[in-house]
Amino acid sequence: MVGMREVARKANVSPGAVSRFLNQDKTLSISEDTKQRIRAAVRDLNYDINKRKYEKAKIQSIGLISTIDRKKEIDDPYFSQLREGIKEEAQRLHLGLNRTYYLAEDNPQEWKDFDHLGAIVIIGTVNESSIQKLMKQNKNIVIVDNPDITADVDLVYADFERMIQKNLSLLVAAGHTNIAYIGGYNIDINEYGKKEINENEKRLRAYKQFMYDQGLKQNINYKLGQWEPLEGRRMADELLAEKVDDFPTAIIVGSDPLAVGVYHSLQSAGKKIGEDLALISFDNIEIAQSLTPGLTSVNINSKEIGNAAVRLASEKINGERGENVVLTFPSKLIERESFHFS
């Protein structure tokens, strides 16, 4: 029996475009010529319309579950670019993006209505048990930025742990051993939007492991808070108060927004970043190069991560592979005045 993929091949379009066109998806944007090719392929192949109605139960569409609230998604360049990458690739592959669940805000009472979607992309640290529950409705799941999940799903994430290790190695090679870490808590969220705040954050985890492995256990010194500039300042202020006579010669900061607050704190205390201490951060957002001195930061292409997540979802929807995939995206350290490593 002729299937939708045969129709898509004959019409030279994606299966997603065929599905959405035949299901009269009003959000689909394709040319009249493309529509005519699909109609002709359906007619020439004698495609079974009744089968098409059956296939409607699994539409060519992606549901998005995010642990990031709407404001943060807009304000934080990492997440805004990630979402842009998801949107861009979904449009290119003619996949609908017609349902978004913000767990931190929407206060859902239960997982529901995910069984008819082609696939689900989850951004952030939804806990393992909630993922297992969701898989009872839909097994086509791609998880972004949560490498600790062991369920049978696709994973795509930036390799933060490797970059922490690389940055620490550069600092140690430059003679630094008194190295502190300032970052944010890990926040696990379940299907009801309930948060569990803990220290199991991948950057902190890699920092502690490196210090142990290098025989620097006695120098482990870290501060955790929320992922925002004011918290960065607060944590740096605490570090200054606690380490008056033995202040770290280097600090790794978990994100550039946090680093903005750290800069304000250190500079208010008379510390010369790049001279009195080295500082490395993550994200390489625009503000990293406008700070004085310029902030050495890890560049992470979150837009490409978003693109990849949708491509993995599309492969699952179309049955193009049976095995799950884990994609890790490499990052690049951009050197500026806060730390010279060359």
Side-chain angles (χ1 to χ4, degrees):
M1 182 179 291
V2 174
M4 191 174 295
R5 295 179 68 179
E6 286 80 5
V7 173
R9 278 195 292 268
K10 185 171 182 61
N12 195 28
V13 296
S14 70
V18 173
S19 174
R20 293 176 65 191
F21 175 69
L22 295 180
N23 285 307
Q24 301 178 3
D25 185 342
K26 295 180 180 179
T27 66
L28 177 64
S29 178
I30 56 176
S31 68
E32 186 59 36
D33 178 66
T34 301
K35 294 176 183 178
Q36 290 295 343
R37 293 205 312 272
I38 294 173
R39 292 189 187 103
V42 168
R43 182 181 64 252
D44 294 347
L45 294 172
N46 195 26
Y47 181 59
D48 190 341
I49 298 298
N50 291 325
K51 182 182 178 186
R52 191 270 304 175
K53 291 179 179 178
Y54 171 76
E55 288 176 342
K56 189 174 180 179
K58 283 283 187 181
I59 63 175
Q60 293 279 331
S61 179
I62 295 174
L64 190 63
I65 297 174
S66 179
T67 62
I68 311 304
D69 61 49
R70 289 172 174 85
K71 184 177 186 304
K72 185 174 180 63
E73 186 176 81
I74 294 170
D75 294 344
D76 190 308
Y78 177 86
F79 290 107
S80 63
Q81 285 296 302
L82 178 65
R83 183 62 184 271
E84 179 61 28
I86 290 172
K87 180 180 177 182
E88 177 186 85
E89 194 69 4
Q91 289 177 339
R92 188 184 74 82
L93 295 174
H94 301 296
L95 292 171
L97 256 183
N98 49 15
R99 177 164 188 182
T100 302
Y101 231 159
Y102 290 93
L103 286 179
E105 299 178 29
D106 293 342
N107 193 29
Q109 297 303 307
E110 60 179 338
W111 295 125
K112 59 181 180 180
D113 300 332
F114 289 110
D115 54 334
H116 71 288
L117 296 171
I120 302 165
V121 173
I122 300 176
I123 300 173
T125 52
V126 174
N127 65 25
E128 184 88 28
S129 62
S130 295
I131 299 296
Q132 296 288 356
K133 290 179 183 177
L134 186 59
M135 290 179 68
K136 294 178 180 178
Q137 288 195 54
N138 195 318
K139 294 187 180 298
N140 294 343
I141 295 177
V142 181
I143 298 180
V144 178
D145 280 349
N146 190 3
D148 296 331
I149 290 296
T150 62
D152 292 330
V153 297
D154 289 346
L155 303 177
V156 54
Y157 54 88
D159 197 354
F160 286 109
E161 295 187 60
R162 187 183 66 85
M163 285 307 298
I164 282 283
Q165 293 167 357
K166 179 178 179 179
N167 293 344
L168 287 165
S169 295
L170 289 169
L171 290 169
V172 169
H176 297 282
T177 56
N178 187 0
I179 307 168
Y181 174 78
I182 291 177
Y185 284 105
N186 181 67
I187 303 175
D188 290 321
I189 300 183
N190 67 11
E191 69 268 32
Y192 308 112
K194 184 178 179 181
K195 298 179 180 180
E196 177 190 329
I197 298 173
N198 56 65
E199 293 192 1
N200 188 32
E201 200 280 321
K202 44 193 170 290
R203 279 156 284 201
L204 172 62
R205 193 167 59 204
Y207 161 76
K208 291 165 72 174
Q209 187 62 54
F210 180 92
M211 298 294 277
Y212 271 103
D213 292 344
Q214 294 296 312
L216 299 172
K217 177 182 176 181
Q218 71 280 4
N219 291 344
I220 291 176
N221 190 2
Y222 63 91
K223 297 289 181 181
L224 297 179
Q226 298 180 54
W227 295 92
E228 57 185 47
L230 287 177
E231 283 286 273
R233 180 162 193 164
R234 177 189 65 78
M235 289 184 278
D237 285 345
E238 287 184 5
L239 197 60
L240 285 162
E242 294 171 5
K243 296 291 182 178
V244 176
D245 299 322
D246 187 28
F247 196 77
T249 64
I251 300 175
I252 290 185
V253 184
S255 72
D256 288 354
L258 279 177
V260 172
V262 172
Y263 260 61
H264 289 162
S265 171
L266 297 179
Q267 291 174 333
S268 295
K271 297 287 185 182
K272 295 181 179 179
I273 299 170
E275 297 181 29
D276 297 335
L277 78 157
L279 199 148
I280 303 175
S281 183
F282 280 78
D283 291 344
N284 192 41
I285 62 177
E286 186 175 350
I287 199 169
Q289 53 190 309
S290 62
L291 290 171
T292 304
L295 175 60
T296 295
S297 185
V298 175
N299 185 67
I300 303 164
N301 194 332
S302 58
K303 186 174 182 180
E304 281 295 327
I305 293 175
N307 288 165
V310 174
R311 288 195 295 272
L312 293 180
S314 177
E315 290 172 5
K316 285 203 161 185
I317 291 170
N318 295 316
E320 294 175 11
R321 58 181 165 82
E323 297 296 324
N324 291 310
V325 170
V326 176
L327 291 181
T328 58
F329 273 72
S331 306
K332 182 179 180 181
L333 187 60
I334 307 301
E335 179 184 358
R336 299 190 182 92
E337 293 81 7
S338 71
F339 174 54
H340 288 290
F341 53 87
S342 56

